[in-house]
């Protein structure tokens, strides 16, 4: 597998500008002769589909949701970063770049991250022009808040519904293009495989989720913007439908999968309450602006929170990380919570929880100010737990939230299969081993509005315009036959156990062995358990109904089947990375409880190549060179 | 706790439907309503029966996918919440609960409790946007927006497009949905150039989809999971009247 990142030469600050200037262009009258398939209509997909079609390309966009507006991006709460420096607090493109590289624990590509910081400011301009109702100050200008891992206020937000408003902005741009007849939009349509012809991605095979109809679609380029794969853990903050199928099946067709074990565990989620639980709910990181995390100083202290005097509380983040306090980055805050719970100081019935306390802020700023900032989050908390967080502290615990890993892409966002582009959370590009809050929305929109429209031409210009063949060659037919056979096989197992049962068991194995802390023994154990579970799945799963109509069980079964393969790769990746960095905490490599990176051996992205079913995959590496920043030990103390 | 469910079952869009009764296994009152349905579905699957099809995704009240009529009320007994934000503790032990799809002519049933709400997208395609291209708009702060206007626009923009308003309305009117979008953009300076064209186009599309007229019963506002205010309908009517005068 050849891994050429195609990073432009020249000084860091000039790479992107130069790259645009030197990129190949497609003439306006030729653009409409190229067909582009965009799979996914979240922030990344909707923005890409709209922007590419504005340029003149023939775009078909699809999503498994019933409408483009329901992509999981809709659920993002807290905000989006941009280096606007409207607050005059010392922010700059360089600082956003540096915070992101450092936050990612020096496991992301310098050139990509700098580009992200550069285009961040234009994203805000674009969104405001679309009518995104960001929060404003009384003077009418945009308001900002702070997020973890930064000492400046650069996060733009729309109450606790920033993702919703940004997605509705991108969706409206997409609707405008659909209405104008410039984009063909297929909702309720799931991509089930990628078609590679002559080594190039040339189409996909889909299933209409309402009718069961299988279809072949051909294109000059295929764009995957299908989101993250955190639902491999079963319990996570993702929407229930989020899945890995598109990227996993592309991986099986030859696309390298980078850093699959890099999973973000978010520190502030509502703790698990029972076995029936179907999802975990995030309490936005923005709460850590005004909330203080604490646990009782003494293990086993079961008094109610208000009965525990100040002196007997441990504000552990403020104690351990005085410089950042409650705004320490996510990986660090999550591990700290795990540590105090492991010490027996966790709160709530299960002992798997810590307090997030707003009483000081309420005293300082008044109840109304807190209500205005976080009212909807307090309401959500109340609905779920029936507790009033204005009066008693919230209970929170870490939960799976985001995947930094994903398909490997070069600087043009092209995967190892030519013609396949990967955007948003589905790729691995910009967050290294840990993503900072409010940076995923930024990356998704950067990729879709500004990066891909400028880089896709480099590939398309190498193809003859209008030469995209009809989707009925032997490769298309073979892929379609494979898709149909897999659906049939799932239905024919007719075993005893439900899909939920397998998904839950898989999630428990991963959480235990490939979660917040990992070690060799556990990972080796998981690498035995997962294939056994997979085998059991194919022998004993029960998928009711048939393939010729709407069948939610069949949809889920296919996704869980993919998770059962991906989970093993995650464990292999975690095992092979014999260091700790960012979210990846290997117990063997630590110093006073903090990550111990091994830069000499592991300053690289690990890229896995599929070798066939029940075959060990091959690990390749893309070395990461830091030319403009010095790799330091990440300290938030 | 345990409850008895009376659930609308309909195998396909053209098949006849009817109610089936199911007794749930033992439930935890802290379960969400949809988790209760998960448990029932697992039980049905194990016994070899078809699970109940229902739409859901985010399960936190923001994506607008879920939408069940529970005991005759879209999204059930909660105030300002979607179906996924209902918890079993809102029901009595031993209660009988009726679950139906969102019923409205423009929302045909696809299977069991799932309806097709694509009509909303088609309305949006006719004008639910500001016609700007991706490119280089001016600096975001070059366009100040008074805080009250921004807040009011956000109140409207919160609509999750679930369709409860339509299901609650005896006329199957989509006025609350359309007024939310029209108001969101109409309240902001960015939305002014197309303000009247937008309202006229969206109202025409809404009528074309077969949604009924608004007779101001307020039932839409009462079930809206985002508490979208009826006043936005008044705003829509005003803008629509101006649009007609302007010949849009
Ligand atoms: C609760 C929550 C809160 C968050 N808050 C923030 C925040 O405040 N700030 C921040 O920066 N980030 C936040 N994030 C992260 C951020 O929301 C996501 O990383 C980002 O929105 C992902 O966008 P996307 O476009 O890559 O994918 P998604 O929005 O997940 O979209 C995926 C799209 O792909 C489609 N799709 C997937 N598979 C297929 C298939 N096989 N066939 C067809 N279509 C397919 C789906 O239908 C969907 O349209 C949050 C995440 C969560 C879970
Ligand atoms: S499932 Fe998303 S709003 Fe209910």
């Amino acid at each position: 597998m050849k891994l050429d990142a195609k990073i432009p030469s020249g000084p860091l600050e000039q790479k992107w500008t130069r790259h645009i200037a030197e990129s190949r262009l497609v003439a306006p009258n030729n653009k409409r002769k190229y067909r582009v398939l965009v799979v996914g209509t979240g922030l990344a997909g909707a923005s890409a589909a709209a922007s590419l079609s504005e340029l003149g390309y023939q775009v078909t966009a699809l999503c498994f949701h019933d409408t483009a507006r329901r992509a999981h991006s809709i659920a993002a709460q807290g905000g989006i970063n941009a280096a606007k420096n409207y607050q005059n607090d010392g922010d700059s493109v360089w600082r956003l770049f540096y915070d992101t590289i450092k936050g990612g624990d020096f496991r992301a590509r310098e050139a990509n991250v700098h580009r992200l910081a550069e285009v961040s400011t234009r994203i805000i301009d674009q969104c405001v022009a679309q009518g995104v109702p960001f929060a404003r100050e009384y003077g009418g200008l945009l308001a900002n808040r702070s997020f973890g891992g930064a000492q400046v206020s650069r996060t733009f937000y729309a109450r606790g519904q920033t993702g919703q408003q940004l997605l509705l902005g991108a969706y409206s741009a997409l609707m405008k293009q659909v209405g104008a007849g410039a984009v063909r939009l297929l909702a309720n349509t799931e991509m089930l495989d990628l078609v590679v012809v002559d080594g190039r991605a040339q189409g996909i095979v889909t299933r209409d989720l309402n009718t069961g109809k299988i279809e072949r679609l051909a294109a000059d380029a295929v764009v995957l913007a299908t989101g993250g794969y955190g639902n491999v853990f079963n319990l996570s903050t993702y929407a229930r439908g989020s899945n890995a199928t598109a990227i996993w099946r592309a991986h099986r067709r030859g696309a390298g999968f980078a850093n699959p074990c890099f999973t973000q565990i978010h520190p502030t989620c509502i703790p698990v309450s029972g076995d029936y639980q179907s999802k975990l709910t995030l309490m936005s990181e923005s709460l850590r602006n005004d909330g203080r995390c604490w646990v009782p100083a003494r293990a086993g202290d079961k008094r109610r929170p208000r009965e525990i005097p100040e002196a007997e509380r441990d504000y552990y983040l403020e104690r351990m990380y005085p410089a950042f306090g409650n705004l320490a980055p996510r990986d660090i805050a999550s591990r700290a919570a795990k540590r105090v719970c492991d010490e027996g100081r966790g709160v709530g019935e299960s002992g798997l929880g810590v307090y997030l306390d707003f009483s000081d802020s309420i005293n300082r700023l008044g109840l109304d100010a807190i209500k205005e900032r976080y009212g909807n989050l307090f309401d959500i908390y109340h609905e779920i737990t029936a507790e009033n967080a204005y009066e008693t502290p919230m209970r929170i615990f870490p939960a799976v939230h985001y995947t930094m890993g994903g398909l490997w892409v070069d600087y043009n966002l092209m995967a190892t299969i030519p013609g396949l582009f990967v955007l948003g959370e589905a790729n691995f590009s910009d967050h290294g081993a840990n993503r900072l809050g409010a940076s995923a929305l930024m990356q998704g929109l950067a990729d879709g509005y500004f990066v891909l429209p400028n880089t896709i031409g480099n590939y398309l210009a190498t193809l003859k315009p209008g030469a995209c063949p009809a989707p009925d060659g032997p490769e298309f037919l073979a892929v379609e036959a494979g898709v149909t056979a897999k659906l049939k096989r799932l239905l024919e197992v007719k075993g005893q156990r439900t899909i939920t049962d397998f998904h839950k068991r898989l999630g428990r194995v991963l959480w235990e062995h490939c979660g917040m802390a990992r070690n060799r023994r556990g990972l080796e154990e998981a690498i035995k358990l997962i294939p056994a579970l997979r085998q059991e799945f194919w022998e004993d799963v029960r998928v009711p109904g048939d393939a010729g109509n709407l069948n939610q069980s069949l949809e889920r079964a296919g996704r869980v089947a993919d998770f059962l393969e991906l989970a093993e790769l995650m464990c292999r990746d975690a095992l092979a990375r014999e260091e700790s960095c960012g979210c990846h905490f290997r117990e063997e490599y630590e110093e006073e409880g903090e990550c111990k990176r091994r830069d000499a051996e592991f300053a690289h992205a690990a890229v896995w190549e599929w070798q066939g079913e029940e075959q060990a995959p091959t690990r390749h590496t893309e070395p990461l060179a830091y030319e403009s920043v010095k790799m330091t030990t990440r300290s938030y103390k | 706790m345990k409850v008895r469910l009376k659930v609308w079952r309909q195998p396909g869009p053209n098949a006849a439907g009817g109610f089936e009764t199911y007794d749930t296994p033992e439930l935890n009152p802290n379960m969400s309503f949809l988790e209760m349905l998960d448990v029932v579905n697992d039980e049905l699957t194990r016994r070899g029966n078809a699970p109940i099809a229902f739409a859901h995704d985010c399960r936190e009240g923001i994506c607008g996918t879920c939408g069940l009529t529970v005991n005759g009320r879209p999204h059930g007994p909660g105030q300002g919440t979607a179906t996924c934000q209902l918890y079993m503790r809102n029901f009595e032990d031993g209660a009988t609960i009726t679950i139906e799809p969102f019923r409205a002519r423009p929302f045909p049933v696809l299977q069991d409790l799932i309806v097709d709400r694509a009509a909303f997208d088609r309305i949006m395609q006719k004008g639910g946007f500001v016609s700007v291209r991706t490119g280089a708009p001016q600096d975001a702060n070059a366009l100040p927006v008074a805080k009250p206007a921004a807040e009011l626009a956000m109140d409207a923009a919160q609509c999750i497009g679930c369709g409860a308003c339509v299901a609650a309305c005896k006329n199957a009117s989509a006025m609350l949905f359309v007024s939310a979008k029209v108001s969101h953009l109409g309240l902001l300076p960015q939305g002014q150039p197309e303000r009247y064209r937008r309202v006229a186009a969206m109202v025409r599309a809404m009528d074309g989809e077969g949604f009924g007229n608004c007779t101001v019963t307020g039932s839409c506002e009462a079930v809206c999971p985002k508490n979208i205010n009826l006043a936005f309908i008044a705003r829509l009517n005003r803008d629509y009247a101006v649009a007609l005068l302007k010949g849009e």
Side-chain angles (χ1 to χ4, degrees), chain A residues 54 65 86 128 131 161 171 241 278 383 542, chain B residues 35 46 57 89 121 134 139-140 151 158 184 190:
Chain A
E54 285 168 6
H65 288 90
Y86 283 161
V128 165
Q161 290 124 284
Y171 160 84
S278 62
E383 267 156 32
R542 171 172 295 185
Chain B
E35 284 166 347
R46 262 191 292 271
D57 198 28
R89 58 176 170 266
D121 279 342
T134 306
D139 184 86
E151 292 293 329
Q158 290 191 84
H184 156 208
Q190 302 91 305

PDB file of all heavy atoms in Angstrom, chain A residues 54 65 86 128 131 161 171 241 278 383 542, chain B residues 35 46 57 89 121 134 139-140 151 158 184 190:
ATOM      1  N   GLU A  54     -22.668  23.699  -6.916  1.00  0.00           N
ATOM      2  CA  GLU A  54     -22.571  25.119  -7.297  1.00  0.00           C
ATOM      3  C   GLU A  54     -21.458  25.336  -8.310  1.00  0.00           C
ATOM      4  O   GLU A  54     -21.544  26.209  -9.173  1.00  0.00           O
ATOM      5  CB  GLU A  54     -22.311  25.986  -6.056  1.00  0.00           C
ATOM      6  CG  GLU A  54     -23.538  26.168  -5.178  1.00  0.00           C
ATOM      7  CD  GLU A  54     -23.218  26.764  -3.808  1.00  0.00           C
ATOM      8  OE1 GLU A  54     -22.060  27.152  -3.565  1.00  0.00           O
ATOM      9  OE2 GLU A  54     -24.131  26.827  -2.978  1.00  0.00           O
ATOM     10  N   HIS A  65     -30.772   8.316   6.217  1.00  0.00           N
ATOM     11  CA  HIS A  65     -31.860   8.962   6.955  1.00  0.00           C
ATOM     12  C   HIS A  65     -33.042   9.245   6.020  1.00  0.00           C
ATOM     13  O   HIS A  65     -32.880   9.264   4.810  1.00  0.00           O
ATOM     14  CB  HIS A  65     -31.360  10.262   7.565  1.00  0.00           C
ATOM     15  CG  HIS A  65     -30.426  10.055   8.721  1.00  0.00           C
ATOM     16  ND1 HIS A  65     -29.059   9.942   8.546  1.00  0.00           N
ATOM     17  CD2 HIS A  65     -30.655   9.909  10.034  1.00  0.00           C
ATOM     18  CE1 HIS A  65     -28.489   9.747   9.735  1.00  0.00           C
ATOM     19  NE2 HIS A  65     -29.437   9.710  10.654  1.00  0.00           N
ATOM     20  N   TYR A  86     -12.168  37.646  17.615  1.00  0.00           N
ATOM     21  CA  TYR A  86     -13.116  38.741  17.891  1.00  0.00           C
ATOM     22  C   TYR A  86     -13.012  39.206  19.337  1.00  0.00           C
ATOM     23  O   TYR A  86     -13.428  40.294  19.683  1.00  0.00           O
ATOM     24  CB  TYR A  86     -14.548  38.266  17.635  1.00  0.00           C
ATOM     25  CG  TYR A  86     -14.943  38.181  16.167  1.00  0.00           C
ATOM     26  CD1 TYR A  86     -16.042  37.417  15.782  1.00  0.00           C
ATOM     27  CD2 TYR A  86     -14.266  38.898  15.188  1.00  0.00           C
ATOM     28  CE1 TYR A  86     -16.446  37.338  14.463  1.00  0.00           C
ATOM     29  CE2 TYR A  86     -14.662  38.819  13.856  1.00  0.00           C
ATOM     30  CZ  TYR A  86     -15.754  38.046  13.502  1.00  0.00           C
ATOM     31  OH  TYR A  86     -16.150  37.976  12.191  1.00  0.00           O
ATOM     32  N   VAL A 128     -22.877  32.503   8.601  1.00  0.00           N
ATOM     33  CA  VAL A 128     -23.662  33.700   8.903  1.00  0.00           C
ATOM     34  C   VAL A 128     -24.402  34.152   7.640  1.00  0.00           C
ATOM     35  O   VAL A 128     -25.588  34.510   7.689  1.00  0.00           O
ATOM     36  CB  VAL A 128     -22.762  34.818   9.480  1.00  0.00           C
ATOM     37  CG1 VAL A 128     -23.474  36.160   9.453  1.00  0.00           C
ATOM     38  CG2 VAL A 128     -22.354  34.463  10.910  1.00  0.00           C
ATOM     39  N   GLY A 131     -27.582  32.493   7.155  1.00  0.00           N
ATOM     40  CA  GLY A 131     -28.635  32.758   8.129  1.00  0.00           C
ATOM     41  C   GLY A 131     -28.563  31.889   9.370  1.00  0.00           C
ATOM     42  O   GLY A 131     -29.555  31.751  10.089  1.00  0.00           O
ATOM     43  N   GLN A 161     -27.502  24.141  20.579  1.00  0.00           N
ATOM     44  CA  GLN A 161     -27.905  23.435  19.363  1.00  0.00           C
ATOM     45  C   GLN A 161     -27.073  23.863  18.164  1.00  0.00           C
ATOM     46  O   GLN A 161     -27.589  24.060  17.069  1.00  0.00           O
ATOM     47  CB  GLN A 161     -29.380  23.712  19.075  1.00  0.00           C
ATOM     48  CG  GLN A 161     -30.323  23.068  20.041  1.00  0.00           C
ATOM     49  CD  GLN A 161     -31.227  24.103  20.679  1.00  0.00           C
ATOM     50  OE1 GLN A 161     -30.825  24.855  21.570  1.00  0.00           O
ATOM     51  NE2 GLN A 161     -32.447  24.173  20.226  1.00  0.00           N
ATOM     52  N   TYR A 171     -27.860  22.090   5.019  1.00  0.00           N
ATOM     53  CA  TYR A 171     -29.025  21.445   4.403  1.00  0.00           C
ATOM     54  C   TYR A 171     -29.776  22.441   3.522  1.00  0.00           C
ATOM     55  O   TYR A 171     -30.230  22.102   2.425  1.00  0.00           O
ATOM     56  CB  TYR A 171     -29.912  20.887   5.518  1.00  0.00           C
ATOM     57  CG  TYR A 171     -31.352  20.602   5.184  1.00  0.00           C
ATOM     58  CD1 TYR A 171     -31.725  19.393   4.581  1.00  0.00           C
ATOM     59  CD2 TYR A 171     -32.360  21.511   5.511  1.00  0.00           C
ATOM     60  CE1 TYR A 171     -33.066  19.124   4.312  1.00  0.00           C
ATOM     61  CE2 TYR A 171     -33.691  21.243   5.255  1.00  0.00           C
ATOM     62  CZ  TYR A 171     -34.044  20.053   4.651  1.00  0.00           C
ATOM     63  OH  TYR A 171     -35.366  19.788   4.387  1.00  0.00           O
ATOM     64  N   GLY A 241     -28.509   5.232  14.705  1.00  0.00           N
ATOM     65  CA  GLY A 241     -28.272   4.748  13.347  1.00  0.00           C
ATOM     66  C   GLY A 241     -26.841   4.907  12.862  1.00  0.00           C
ATOM     67  O   GLY A 241     -26.458   4.306  11.858  1.00  0.00           O
ATOM     68  N   SER A 278     -30.157   2.367  25.754  1.00  0.00           N
ATOM     69  CA  SER A 278     -29.883   2.286  24.324  1.00  0.00           C
ATOM     70  C   SER A 278     -28.882   3.333  23.885  1.00  0.00           C
ATOM     71  O   SER A 278     -28.271   3.202  22.842  1.00  0.00           O
ATOM     72  CB  SER A 278     -31.166   2.472  23.537  1.00  0.00           C
ATOM     73  OG  SER A 278     -31.694   3.754  23.794  1.00  0.00           O
ATOM     74  N   GLU A 383     -35.008  15.733  32.375  1.00  0.00           N
ATOM     75  CA  GLU A 383     -35.862  14.720  31.740  1.00  0.00           C
ATOM     76  C   GLU A 383     -35.333  13.318  31.978  1.00  0.00           C
ATOM     77  O   GLU A 383     -36.080  12.386  32.218  1.00  0.00           O
ATOM     78  CB  GLU A 383     -35.815  14.896  30.221  1.00  0.00           C
ATOM     79  CG  GLU A 383     -36.869  15.754  29.647  1.00  0.00           C
ATOM     80  CD  GLU A 383     -36.338  16.286  28.329  1.00  0.00           C
ATOM     81  OE1 GLU A 383     -35.566  15.583  27.650  1.00  0.00           O
ATOM     82  OE2 GLU A 383     -36.685  17.436  28.005  1.00  0.00           O
ATOM     83  N   ARG A 542     -30.626 -13.961  14.894  1.00  0.00           N
ATOM     84  CA  ARG A 542     -31.957 -14.062  14.296  1.00  0.00           C
ATOM     85  C   ARG A 542     -32.336 -12.722  13.680  1.00  0.00           C
ATOM     86  O   ARG A 542     -32.461 -11.722  14.372  1.00  0.00           O
ATOM     87  CB  ARG A 542     -32.990 -14.445  15.354  1.00  0.00           C
ATOM     88  CG  ARG A 542     -34.409 -14.341  14.804  1.00  0.00           C
ATOM     89  CD  ARG A 542     -35.421 -14.887  15.743  1.00  0.00           C
ATOM     90  NE  ARG A 542     -35.236 -16.313  15.940  1.00  0.00           N
ATOM     91  CZ  ARG A 542     -36.070 -17.058  16.669  1.00  0.00           C
ATOM     92  NH1 ARG A 542     -37.104 -16.502  17.255  1.00  0.00           N
ATOM     93  NH2 ARG A 542     -35.861 -18.339  16.812  1.00  0.00           N
TER      94      ARG A 542
ATOM     95  N   GLU B  35     -36.919   2.857  24.638  1.00  0.00           N
ATOM     96  CA  GLU B  35     -36.227   1.683  25.195  1.00  0.00           C
ATOM     97  C   GLU B  35     -37.239   0.605  25.575  1.00  0.00           C
ATOM     98  O   GLU B  35     -36.976  -0.588  25.420  1.00  0.00           O
ATOM     99  CB  GLU B  35     -35.358   2.089  26.394  1.00  0.00           C
ATOM    100  CG  GLU B  35     -34.085   2.797  25.941  1.00  0.00           C
ATOM    101  CD  GLU B  35     -33.331   3.537  27.041  1.00  0.00           C
ATOM    102  OE1 GLU B  35     -33.875   3.737  28.154  1.00  0.00           O
ATOM    103  OE2 GLU B  35     -32.186   3.938  26.793  1.00  0.00           O
ATOM    104  N   ARG B  46     -37.501 -12.727  19.535  1.00  0.00           N
ATOM    105  CA  ARG B  46     -37.166 -14.030  20.106  1.00  0.00           C
ATOM    106  C   ARG B  46     -38.294 -15.032  19.896  1.00  0.00           C
ATOM    107  O   ARG B  46     -38.072 -16.204  19.673  1.00  0.00           O
ATOM    108  CB  ARG B  46     -36.867 -13.898  21.607  1.00  0.00           C
ATOM    109  CG  ARG B  46     -35.364 -13.815  21.897  1.00  0.00           C
ATOM    110  CD  ARG B  46     -35.085 -13.968  23.386  1.00  0.00           C
ATOM    111  NE  ARG B  46     -35.596 -12.823  24.139  1.00  0.00           N
ATOM    112  CZ  ARG B  46     -34.874 -11.724  24.376  1.00  0.00           C
ATOM    113  NH1 ARG B  46     -33.634 -11.634  23.956  1.00  0.00           N
ATOM    114  NH2 ARG B  46     -35.409 -10.722  25.046  1.00  0.00           N
ATOM    115  N   ASP B  57     -33.673   8.034  15.928  1.00  0.00           N
ATOM    116  CA  ASP B  57     -32.227   8.078  15.684  1.00  0.00           C
ATOM    117  C   ASP B  57     -31.478   8.684  16.863  1.00  0.00           C
ATOM    118  O   ASP B  57     -30.879   7.975  17.637  1.00  0.00           O
ATOM    119  CB  ASP B  57     -31.915   8.818  14.379  1.00  0.00           C
ATOM    120  CG  ASP B  57     -30.495   8.507  13.889  1.00  0.00           C
ATOM    121  OD1 ASP B  57     -29.997   7.414  14.190  1.00  0.00           O
ATOM    122  OD2 ASP B  57     -29.876   9.353  13.211  1.00  0.00           O
ATOM    123  N   ARG B  89     -41.620   6.470  33.579  1.00  0.00           N
ATOM    124  CA  ARG B  89     -42.142   6.988  34.839  1.00  0.00           C
ATOM    125  C   ARG B  89     -43.307   7.961  34.629  1.00  0.00           C
ATOM    126  O   ARG B  89     -43.998   8.293  35.573  1.00  0.00           O
ATOM    127  CB  ARG B  89     -41.028   7.616  35.683  1.00  0.00           C
ATOM    128  CG  ARG B  89     -40.277   8.727  35.013  1.00  0.00           C
ATOM    129  CD  ARG B  89     -39.241   9.385  35.926  1.00  0.00           C
ATOM    130  NE  ARG B  89     -38.395  10.283  35.167  1.00  0.00           N
ATOM    131  CZ  ARG B  89     -37.220   9.963  34.626  1.00  0.00           C
ATOM    132  NH1 ARG B  89     -36.719   8.761  34.811  1.00  0.00           N
ATOM    133  NH2 ARG B  89     -36.536  10.844  33.911  1.00  0.00           N
ATOM    134  N   ASP B 121     -39.367  18.211   2.947  1.00  0.00           N
ATOM    135  CA  ASP B 121     -38.165  18.529   2.163  1.00  0.00           C
ATOM    136  C   ASP B 121     -38.547  19.255   0.875  1.00  0.00           C
ATOM    137  O   ASP B 121     -37.868  20.186   0.453  1.00  0.00           O
ATOM    138  CB  ASP B 121     -37.407  17.248   1.788  1.00  0.00           C
ATOM    139  CG  ASP B 121     -36.528  16.738   2.924  1.00  0.00           C
ATOM    140  OD1 ASP B 121     -36.236  17.531   3.840  1.00  0.00           O
ATOM    141  OD2 ASP B 121     -36.144  15.558   2.890  1.00  0.00           O
ATOM    142  N   THR B 134     -21.245  29.002  -1.836  1.00  0.00           N
ATOM    143  CA  THR B 134     -20.030  28.866  -1.048  1.00  0.00           C
ATOM    144  C   THR B 134     -18.988  29.734  -1.713  1.00  0.00           C
ATOM    145  O   THR B 134     -18.812  29.684  -2.926  1.00  0.00           O
ATOM    146  CB  THR B 134     -19.536  27.410  -1.060  1.00  0.00           C
ATOM    147  OG1 THR B 134     -20.595  26.580  -0.632  1.00  0.00           O
ATOM    148  CG2 THR B 134     -18.334  27.249  -0.157  1.00  0.00           C
ATOM    149  N   ASP B 139     -16.901  39.466   6.100  1.00  0.00           N
ATOM    150  CA  ASP B 139     -16.633  39.036   7.472  1.00  0.00           C
ATOM    151  C   ASP B 139     -17.936  38.966   8.261  1.00  0.00           C
ATOM    152  O   ASP B 139     -18.794  39.845   8.157  1.00  0.00           O
ATOM    153  CB  ASP B 139     -15.678  40.021   8.144  1.00  0.00           C
ATOM    154  CG  ASP B 139     -15.310  39.531   9.529  1.00  0.00           C
ATOM    155  OD1 ASP B 139     -14.365  38.735   9.623  1.00  0.00           O
ATOM    156  OD2 ASP B 139     -15.988  39.907  10.507  1.00  0.00           O
ATOM    157  N   ALA B 140     -18.039  37.909   9.043  1.00  0.00           N
ATOM    158  CA  ALA B 140     -19.294  37.654   9.751  1.00  0.00           C
ATOM    159  C   ALA B 140     -19.742  38.831  10.605  1.00  0.00           C
ATOM    160  O   ALA B 140     -20.928  39.121  10.707  1.00  0.00           O
ATOM    161  CB  ALA B 140     -19.139  36.404  10.605  1.00  0.00           C
ATOM    162  N   GLU B 151     -32.278  36.228  18.768  1.00  0.00           N
ATOM    163  CA  GLU B 151     -32.882  35.261  19.694  1.00  0.00           C
ATOM    164  C   GLU B 151     -34.220  34.752  19.150  1.00  0.00           C
ATOM    165  O   GLU B 151     -34.529  33.568  19.219  1.00  0.00           O
ATOM    166  CB  GLU B 151     -33.108  35.904  21.077  1.00  0.00           C
ATOM    167  CG  GLU B 151     -31.823  36.225  21.832  1.00  0.00           C
ATOM    168  CD  GLU B 151     -31.039  34.993  22.257  1.00  0.00           C
ATOM    169  OE1 GLU B 151     -31.660  33.947  22.521  1.00  0.00           O
ATOM    170  OE2 GLU B 151     -29.793  35.068  22.288  1.00  0.00           O
ATOM    171  N   GLN B 158     -35.295  26.555  15.780  1.00  0.00           N
ATOM    172  CA  GLN B 158     -35.148  25.314  16.555  1.00  0.00           C
ATOM    173  C   GLN B 158     -36.004  24.167  16.060  1.00  0.00           C
ATOM    174  O   GLN B 158     -35.840  23.040  16.511  1.00  0.00           O
ATOM    175  CB  GLN B 158     -35.574  25.568  17.998  1.00  0.00           C
ATOM    176  CG  GLN B 158     -34.655  26.437  18.756  1.00  0.00           C
ATOM    177  CD  GLN B 158     -35.013  26.397  20.232  1.00  0.00           C
ATOM    178  OE1 GLN B 158     -34.611  25.516  20.956  1.00  0.00           O
ATOM    179  NE2 GLN B 158     -35.809  27.366  20.648  1.00  0.00           N
ATOM    180  N   HIS B 184     -37.620  32.351  10.815  1.00  0.00           N
ATOM    181  CA  HIS B 184     -36.179  32.294  11.085  1.00  0.00           C
ATOM    182  C   HIS B 184     -35.424  33.167  10.089  1.00  0.00           C
ATOM    183  O   HIS B 184     -34.653  34.046  10.463  1.00  0.00           O
ATOM    184  CB  HIS B 184     -35.716  30.817  11.040  1.00  0.00           C
ATOM    185  CG  HIS B 184     -34.265  30.600  10.741  1.00  0.00           C
ATOM    186  ND1 HIS B 184     -33.786  29.465  10.129  1.00  0.00           N
ATOM    187  CD2 HIS B 184     -33.168  31.363  10.961  1.00  0.00           C
ATOM    188  CE1 HIS B 184     -32.478  29.546   9.995  1.00  0.00           C
ATOM    189  NE2 HIS B 184     -32.070  30.680  10.479  1.00  0.00           N
ATOM    190  N   GLN B 190     -29.968  38.711   6.630  1.00  0.00           N
ATOM    191  CA  GLN B 190     -29.552  37.863   5.502  1.00  0.00           C
ATOM    192  C   GLN B 190     -30.752  37.381   4.698  1.00  0.00           C
ATOM    193  O   GLN B 190     -30.635  37.067   3.516  1.00  0.00           O
ATOM    194  CB  GLN B 190     -28.809  36.615   5.992  1.00  0.00           C
ATOM    195  CG  GLN B 190     -27.570  36.860   6.817  1.00  0.00           C
ATOM    196  CD  GLN B 190     -27.876  36.915   8.309  1.00  0.00           C
ATOM    197  OE1 GLN B 190     -28.730  37.695   8.737  1.00  0.00           O
ATOM    198  NE2 GLN B 190     -27.187  36.125   9.088  1.00  0.00           N
TER     199      GLN B 190
END
